[in-house]
Amino acid sequence: MARNIAFGRIQEDMNKTSFFKILADEDLSSESMRLIPNEFWRRSECKNLPPKVTLKVAWGSSWTVNLSPFMGCYLMERKGWEKFLNDNHLGDNEFLTFTNEGNNCITVDIFQKNCIEILKPLNTSSSIVKNEEMSCVDPVIAESKKKVDSNVYGASSSSSSAATFSLTIKKSHLTVLSIPVTFAKEHMPKVRTKFVIHDPKGKPWEVVYVPSNGSKLFSSGWRFLTNGYGLAVGDLCTFRLVRPREMVLEVLHASS
């Protein structure tokens, strides 16, 4: 079995065990990303494999994730793991430590790639966010939230002057999205860039745009967006560029 770079060395803190992951894979739901090392449980207070665990973060929120055995280790099942990542807007090379607190509870400490620990949620449903509350939030999202009650989703988002492209979702688009080359050449940046994509009501997702000679892709973060929108093969998607690094996505579902 190949060495898994998502894991750090197992560390012991008194009677607790811990390990870390770096969210750097293209597929954050891969088996390597969902794997819990066997030693994490053998040295912990848990004598037997629990059917599920609770992932708890610094601000008190928690997520229940089912477990299943896998090649002598244990996997966090995809649905619960993806919800944890999606709810916390993770997927941009964050560093996560997992510590066994006993009673099937695992505390997760989250550090951004700039090494700053995230101590409060990165997203809020409030349309008014104080500046001091945005200290851990990416500047693109912070700017979007401060202006969520502005005209971004009104006249400007429907303006005929806004650059748009539309496509019908194929099976391959549910993992990464290939952007039309003509649109990309005229309107997209020439280097890897983080975008914020909103639904028409203003809910944001972070997606990484990756240009190369052969393709122009929305890659890391795109899968969480497809889950959040409930995208399926045959859906018609219209992307509207409202700022240099910001889009609004409108979806006409094939099933509707």
Side-chain angles (χ1 to χ4, degrees), residues 44-65:
S44 72
E45 297 175 357
C46 298
K47 302 298 183 182
N48 300 303
L49 170 67
K52 56 188 176 183
V53 294
T54 299
L55 303 181
K56 187 174 181 179
V57 292
W59 51 92
S61 298
S62 61
W63 291 258
T64 299
V65 182

Side-chain angles (χ1 to χ4, degrees), residues 41-150:
W41 298 112
R42 280 206 302 259
R43 300 180 185 179
S44 72
E45 297 175 357
C46 298
K47 302 298 183 182
N48 300 303
L49 170 67
K52 56 188 176 183
V53 294
T54 299
L55 303 181
K56 187 174 181 179
V57 292
W59 51 92
S61 298
S62 61
W63 291 258
T64 299
V65 182
N66 292 328
L67 298 180
S68 58
F70 177 78
M71 298 181 66
C73 299
Y74 308 113
L75 280 181
M76 292 180 282
E77 293 189 353
R78 184 184 299 270
K79 182 178 179 180
W81 173 244
E82 288 184 347
K83 180 170 177 56
F84 172 77
L85 296 177
N86 195 28
D87 287 353
N88 290 293
H89 301 278
L90 300 178
D92 188 23
N93 293 288
E94 294 89 355
F95 179 95
L96 277 58
T97 65
F98 298 76
T99 302
N100 194 326
E101 301 293 346
N103 298 320
N104 300 349
C105 180
I106 298 175
T107 58
V108 185
D109 296 315
I110 305 172
F111 298 83
Q112 294 175 311
K113 61 183 178 182
N114 60 5
C115 300
I116 296 176
E117 185 176 6
I118 300 175
L119 298 173
K120 55 187 175 182
L122 292 183
N123 190 25
T124 177
S125 59
S126 172
S127 62
I128 302 175
V129 182
K130 297 179 181 179
N131 290 334
E132 59 268 25
E133 292 177 339
M134 305 304 296
S135 58
C136 291
V137 184
D138 182 271
V140 178
I141 284 189
E143 180 66 17
S144 300
K145 289 183 180 299
K146 286 186 287 185
K147 297 184 178 181
V148 73
D149 58 346
S150 69

Side-chain angles (χ1 to χ4, degrees), residues 2 10 19 21 23-24 35 39 63 73 98-99 150 154 164 219 221 238:
I10 299 298
F19 66 95
K21 291 180 181 287
L23 302 183
L35 198 66
E39 293 87 346
W63 291 258
C73 299
F98 298 76
T99 302
S150 69
T164 63
S219 181
T238 299

Side-chain angles (χ1 to χ4, degrees), residues 6-7 9 18 76-77 100 131 138 143 165 192-193 205 210 215:
F7 281 108
R9 180 174 59 88
S18 63
M76 292 180 282
E77 293 189 353
N100 194 326
N131 290 334
D138 182 271
E143 180 66 17
F165 72 90
R192 182 185 178 98
T193 304
W205 285 266
V210 182
S215 60

